[in-house]
PDB file of all heavy atoms in Angstrom:
ATOM      1  N   LEU A 404     -20.106  24.643  12.746  1.00  0.00           N
ATOM      2  CA  LEU A 404     -21.026  23.534  12.552  1.00  0.00           C
ATOM      3  C   LEU A 404     -21.084  23.069  11.102  1.00  0.00           C
ATOM      4  O   LEU A 404     -21.371  21.912  10.819  1.00  0.00           O
ATOM      5  CB  LEU A 404     -22.440  23.926  13.019  1.00  0.00           C
ATOM      6  CG  LEU A 404     -22.608  24.102  14.531  1.00  0.00           C
ATOM      7  CD1 LEU A 404     -23.981  24.680  14.840  1.00  0.00           C
ATOM      8  CD2 LEU A 404     -22.424  22.764  15.240  1.00  0.00           C
ATOM      9  N   LYS A 405     -20.796  23.967  10.182  1.00  0.00           N
ATOM     10  CA  LYS A 405     -20.834  23.622   8.764  1.00  0.00           C
ATOM     11  C   LYS A 405     -19.573  22.933   8.287  1.00  0.00           C
ATOM     12  O   LYS A 405     -19.536  22.382   7.201  1.00  0.00           O
ATOM     13  CB  LYS A 405     -21.060  24.882   7.917  1.00  0.00           C
ATOM     14  CG  LYS A 405     -22.469  25.443   8.032  1.00  0.00           C
ATOM     15  CD  LYS A 405     -22.613  26.668   7.130  1.00  0.00           C
ATOM     16  CE  LYS A 405     -24.030  27.245   7.232  1.00  0.00           C
ATOM     17  NZ  LYS A 405     -24.186  28.445   6.377  1.00  0.00           N
ATOM     18  N   ARG A 406     -18.543  22.969   9.113  1.00  0.00           N
ATOM     19  CA  ARG A 406     -17.279  22.364   8.682  1.00  0.00           C
ATOM     20  C   ARG A 406     -17.390  20.849   8.703  1.00  0.00           C
ATOM     21  O   ARG A 406     -17.700  20.243   9.724  1.00  0.00           O
ATOM     22  CB  ARG A 406     -16.110  22.776   9.600  1.00  0.00           C
ATOM     23  CG  ARG A 406     -15.821  24.258   9.633  1.00  0.00           C
ATOM     24  CD  ARG A 406     -15.540  24.839   8.293  1.00  0.00           C
ATOM     25  NE  ARG A 406     -14.480  24.146   7.601  1.00  0.00           N
ATOM     26  CZ  ARG A 406     -14.040  24.491   6.405  1.00  0.00           C
ATOM     27  NH1 ARG A 406     -14.566  25.521   5.764  1.00  0.00           N
ATOM     28  NH2 ARG A 406     -13.082  23.810   5.826  1.00  0.00           N
ATOM     29  N   ASN A 407     -17.128  20.218   7.555  1.00  0.00           N
ATOM     30  CA  ASN A 407     -17.098  18.767   7.473  1.00  0.00           C
ATOM     31  C   ASN A 407     -15.683  18.255   7.276  1.00  0.00           C
ATOM     32  O   ASN A 407     -15.386  17.109   7.550  1.00  0.00           O
ATOM     33  CB  ASN A 407     -17.985  18.280   6.323  1.00  0.00           C
ATOM     34  CG  ASN A 407     -19.449  18.553   6.601  1.00  0.00           C
ATOM     35  OD1 ASN A 407     -19.889  18.407   7.724  1.00  0.00           O
ATOM     36  ND2 ASN A 407     -20.188  18.964   5.566  1.00  0.00           N
ATOM     37  N   GLU A 408     -14.807  19.136   6.742  1.00  0.00           N
ATOM     38  CA  GLU A 408     -13.427  18.732   6.497  1.00  0.00           C
ATOM     39  C   GLU A 408     -12.657  18.680   7.800  1.00  0.00           C
ATOM     40  O   GLU A 408     -12.956  19.401   8.748  1.00  0.00           O
ATOM     41  CB  GLU A 408     -12.741  19.705   5.533  1.00  0.00           C
ATOM     42  CG  GLU A 408     -13.417  19.798   4.188  1.00  0.00           C
ATOM     43  CD  GLU A 408     -14.458  20.916   4.166  1.00  0.00           C
ATOM     44  OE1 GLU A 408     -14.820  21.414   5.236  1.00  0.00           O
ATOM     45  OE2 GLU A 408     -14.905  21.250   3.069  1.00  0.00           O
ATOM     46  N   GLU A 409     -11.666  17.840   7.840  1.00  0.00           N
ATOM     47  CA  GLU A 409     -10.818  17.758   9.019  1.00  0.00           C
ATOM     48  C   GLU A 409      -9.891  18.960   9.112  1.00  0.00           C
ATOM     49  O   GLU A 409      -9.537  19.391  10.191  1.00  0.00           O
ATOM     50  CB  GLU A 409      -9.995  16.471   8.988  1.00  0.00           C
ATOM     51  CG  GLU A 409     -10.829  15.209   9.105  1.00  0.00           C
ATOM     52  CD  GLU A 409      -9.981  13.963   9.097  1.00  0.00           C
ATOM     53  OE1 GLU A 409      -8.752  14.095   8.945  1.00  0.00           O
ATOM     54  OE2 GLU A 409     -10.536  12.867   9.249  1.00  0.00           O
ATOM     55  N   LEU A 410      -9.489  19.471   7.961  1.00  0.00           N
ATOM     56  CA  LEU A 410      -8.559  20.589   7.926  1.00  0.00           C
ATOM     57  C   LEU A 410      -9.205  21.770   7.218  1.00  0.00           C
ATOM     58  O   LEU A 410     -10.029  21.595   6.323  1.00  0.00           O
ATOM     59  CB  LEU A 410      -7.258  20.198   7.196  1.00  0.00           C
ATOM     60  CG  LEU A 410      -6.503  18.996   7.755  1.00  0.00           C
ATOM     61  CD1 LEU A 410      -5.297  18.689   6.875  1.00  0.00           C
ATOM     62  CD2 LEU A 410      -6.061  19.237   9.187  1.00  0.00           C
ATOM     63  N   ILE A 411      -8.819  22.972   7.613  1.00  0.00           N
ATOM     64  CA  ILE A 411      -9.332  24.180   6.972  1.00  0.00           C
ATOM     65  C   ILE A 411      -8.167  25.081   6.593  1.00  0.00           C
ATOM     66  O   ILE A 411      -7.055  24.950   7.125  1.00  0.00           O
ATOM     67  CB  ILE A 411     -10.301  24.948   7.895  1.00  0.00           C
ATOM     68  CG1 ILE A 411      -9.555  25.462   9.149  1.00  0.00           C
ATOM     69  CG2 ILE A 411     -11.489  24.084   8.272  1.00  0.00           C
ATOM     70  CD1 ILE A 411     -10.399  26.388  10.000  1.00  0.00           C
ATOM     71  N   ASP A 412      -8.420  25.995   5.675  1.00  0.00           N
ATOM     72  CA  ASP A 412      -7.424  26.986   5.275  1.00  0.00           C
ATOM     73  C   ASP A 412      -7.117  27.879   6.468  1.00  0.00           C
ATOM     74  O   ASP A 412      -8.019  28.286   7.210  1.00  0.00           O
ATOM     75  CB  ASP A 412      -7.973  27.820   4.115  1.00  0.00           C
ATOM     76  CG  ASP A 412      -6.899  28.681   3.471  1.00  0.00           C
ATOM     77  OD1 ASP A 412      -6.286  29.502   4.193  1.00  0.00           O
ATOM     78  OD2 ASP A 412      -6.679  28.539   2.250  1.00  0.00           O
ATOM     79  N   ILE A 413      -5.847  28.196   6.646  1.00  0.00           N
ATOM     80  CA  ILE A 413      -5.459  29.009   7.809  1.00  0.00           C
ATOM     81  C   ILE A 413      -6.110  30.386   7.777  1.00  0.00           C
ATOM     82  O   ILE A 413      -6.350  31.002   8.825  1.00  0.00           O
ATOM     83  CB  ILE A 413      -3.917  29.114   7.889  1.00  0.00           C
ATOM     84  CG1 ILE A 413      -3.513  29.555   9.307  1.00  0.00           C
ATOM     85  CG2 ILE A 413      -3.367  30.065   6.817  1.00  0.00           C
ATOM     86  CD1 ILE A 413      -2.033  29.420   9.582  1.00  0.00           C
ATOM     87  N   GLN A 414      -6.426  30.891   6.565  1.00  0.00           N
ATOM     88  CA  GLN A 414      -7.092  32.188   6.466  1.00  0.00           C
ATOM     89  C   GLN A 414      -8.512  32.107   7.009  1.00  0.00           C
ATOM     90  O   GLN A 414      -9.019  33.067   7.602  1.00  0.00           O
ATOM     91  CB  GLN A 414      -7.098  32.656   5.004  1.00  0.00           C
ATOM     92  CG  GLN A 414      -5.725  32.781   4.365  1.00  0.00           C
ATOM     93  CD  GLN A 414      -4.862  33.860   5.027  1.00  0.00           C
ATOM     94  OE1 GLN A 414      -5.365  34.782   5.674  1.00  0.00           O
ATOM     95  NE2 GLN A 414      -3.544  33.733   4.866  1.00  0.00           N
ATOM     96  N   GLU A 415      -9.166  30.949   6.829  1.00  0.00           N
ATOM     97  CA  GLU A 415     -10.494  30.760   7.412  1.00  0.00           C
ATOM     98  C   GLU A 415     -10.407  30.677   8.932  1.00  0.00           C
ATOM     99  O   GLU A 415     -11.293  31.160   9.648  1.00  0.00           O
ATOM    100  CB  GLU A 415     -11.117  29.489   6.852  1.00  0.00           C
ATOM    101  CG  GLU A 415     -11.393  29.540   5.361  1.00  0.00           C
ATOM    102  CD  GLU A 415     -11.997  28.254   4.862  1.00  0.00           C
ATOM    103  OE1 GLU A 415     -13.204  28.031   5.114  1.00  0.00           O
ATOM    104  OE2 GLU A 415     -11.274  27.467   4.230  1.00  0.00           O
ATOM    105  N   GLU A 416      -9.339  30.045   9.413  1.00  0.00           N
ATOM    106  CA  GLU A 416      -9.129  29.984  10.860  1.00  0.00           C
ATOM    107  C   GLU A 416      -8.969  31.383  11.433  1.00  0.00           C
ATOM    108  O   GLU A 416      -9.449  31.687  12.540  1.00  0.00           O
ATOM    109  CB  GLU A 416      -7.899  29.121  11.155  1.00  0.00           C
ATOM    110  CG  GLU A 416      -7.464  29.115  12.620  1.00  0.00           C
ATOM    111  CD  GLU A 416      -8.328  28.235  13.514  1.00  0.00           C
ATOM    112  OE1 GLU A 416      -9.298  27.644  13.029  1.00  0.00           O
ATOM    113  OE2 GLU A 416      -8.029  28.151  14.718  1.00  0.00           O
ATOM    114  N   LEU A 417      -8.319  32.263  10.675  1.00  0.00           N
ATOM    115  CA  LEU A 417      -8.136  33.652  11.138  1.00  0.00           C
ATOM    116  C   LEU A 417      -9.474  34.380  11.242  1.00  0.00           C
ATOM    117  O   LEU A 417      -9.636  35.288  12.083  1.00  0.00           O
ATOM    118  CB  LEU A 417      -7.200  34.398  10.194  1.00  0.00           C
ATOM    119  CG  LEU A 417      -5.718  34.036  10.340  1.00  0.00           C
ATOM    120  CD1 LEU A 417      -4.901  34.661   9.218  1.00  0.00           C
ATOM    121  CD2 LEU A 417      -5.176  34.493  11.694  1.00  0.00           C
ATOM    122  N   THR A 418     -10.441  34.025  10.404  1.00  0.00           N
ATOM    123  CA  THR A 418     -11.784  34.608  10.503  1.00  0.00           C
ATOM    124  C   THR A 418     -12.405  34.257  11.844  1.00  0.00           C
ATOM    125  O   THR A 418     -13.031  35.100  12.512  1.00  0.00           O
ATOM    126  CB  THR A 418     -12.674  34.101   9.352  1.00  0.00           C
ATOM    127  OG1 THR A 418     -12.074  34.442   8.112  1.00  0.00           O
ATOM    128  CG2 THR A 418     -14.065  34.705   9.427  1.00  0.00           C
ATOM    129  N   GLN A 419     -12.236  33.017  12.236  1.00  0.00           N
ATOM    130  CA  GLN A 419     -12.734  32.595  13.547  1.00  0.00           C
ATOM    131  C   GLN A 419     -12.028  33.357  14.668  1.00  0.00           C
ATOM    132  O   GLN A 419     -12.644  33.780  15.650  1.00  0.00           O
ATOM    133  CB  GLN A 419     -12.513  31.089  13.729  1.00  0.00           C
ATOM    134  CG  GLN A 419     -13.324  30.225  12.767  1.00  0.00           C
ATOM    135  CD  GLN A 419     -12.962  28.766  12.900  1.00  0.00           C
ATOM    136  OE1 GLN A 419     -11.795  28.398  12.774  1.00  0.00           O
ATOM    137  NE2 GLN A 419     -13.953  27.928  13.153  1.00  0.00           N
ATOM    138  N   VAL A 420     -10.714  33.508  14.532  1.00  0.00           N
ATOM    139  CA  VAL A 420      -9.948  34.236  15.543  1.00  0.00           C
ATOM    140  C   VAL A 420     -10.432  35.683  15.631  1.00  0.00           C
ATOM    141  O   VAL A 420     -10.551  36.249  16.731  1.00  0.00           O
ATOM    142  CB  VAL A 420      -8.443  34.170  15.218  1.00  0.00           C
ATOM    143  CG1 VAL A 420      -7.649  35.100  16.140  1.00  0.00           C
ATOM    144  CG2 VAL A 420      -7.935  32.746  15.353  1.00  0.00           C
ATOM    145  N   SER A 421     -10.734  36.283  14.479  1.00  0.00           N
ATOM    146  CA  SER A 421     -11.204  37.681  14.479  1.00  0.00           C
ATOM    147  C   SER A 421     -12.526  37.811  15.226  1.00  0.00           C
ATOM    148  O   SER A 421     -12.750  38.788  15.962  1.00  0.00           O
ATOM    149  CB  SER A 421     -11.362  38.174  13.037  1.00  0.00           C
ATOM    150  OG  SER A 421     -10.117  38.185  12.379  1.00  0.00           O
ATOM    151  N   ASP A 422     -13.421  36.843  15.038  1.00  0.00           N
ATOM    152  CA  ASP A 422     -14.689  36.873  15.778  1.00  0.00           C
ATOM    153  C   ASP A 422     -14.437  36.783  17.278  1.00  0.00           C
ATOM    154  O   ASP A 422     -15.081  37.492  18.077  1.00  0.00           O
ATOM    155  CB  ASP A 422     -15.576  35.711  15.326  1.00  0.00           C
ATOM    156  CG  ASP A 422     -16.162  35.934  13.942  1.00  0.00           C
ATOM    157  OD1 ASP A 422     -16.366  37.104  13.568  1.00  0.00           O
ATOM    158  OD2 ASP A 422     -16.392  34.934  13.229  1.00  0.00           O
ATOM    159  N   TYR A 423     -13.503  35.896  17.656  1.00  0.00           N
ATOM    160  CA  TYR A 423     -13.192  35.765  19.078  1.00  0.00           C
ATOM    161  C   TYR A 423     -12.562  37.048  19.619  1.00  0.00           C
ATOM    162  O   TYR A 423     -12.926  37.519  20.717  1.00  0.00           O
ATOM    163  CB  TYR A 423     -12.245  34.589  19.315  1.00  0.00           C
ATOM    164  CG  TYR A 423     -11.770  34.513  20.739  1.00  0.00           C
ATOM    165  CD1 TYR A 423     -12.612  34.030  21.734  1.00  0.00           C
ATOM    166  CD2 TYR A 423     -10.503  34.965  21.099  1.00  0.00           C
ATOM    167  CE1 TYR A 423     -12.185  33.972  23.050  1.00  0.00           C
ATOM    168  CE2 TYR A 423     -10.073  34.911  22.405  1.00  0.00           C
ATOM    169  CZ  TYR A 423     -10.910  34.409  23.387  1.00  0.00           C
ATOM    170  OH  TYR A 423     -10.492  34.376  24.687  1.00  0.00           O
ATOM    171  N   VAL A 424     -11.637  37.628  18.871  1.00  0.00           N
ATOM    172  CA  VAL A 424     -10.973  38.861  19.313  1.00  0.00           C
ATOM    173  C   VAL A 424     -11.990  39.983  19.481  1.00  0.00           C
ATOM    174  O   VAL A 424     -11.916  40.783  20.431  1.00  0.00           O
ATOM    175  CB  VAL A 424      -9.885  39.258  18.304  1.00  0.00           C
ATOM    176  CG1 VAL A 424      -9.399  40.680  18.557  1.00  0.00           C
ATOM    177  CG2 VAL A 424      -8.709  38.284  18.389  1.00  0.00           C
TER     178      VAL A 424
END
Side-chain angles (χ1 to χ4, degrees):
L404 291 172
K405 289 182 180 179
R406 298 303 306 181
N407 293 321
E408 300 92 346
E409 294 181 357
L410 303 176
I411 64 172
D412 191 302
I413 198 168
Q414 302 296 338
E415 295 180 76
E416 173 77 358
L417 285 171
T418 302
Q419 295 174 305
V420 171
S421 296
D422 287 331
Y423 173 76
V424 167

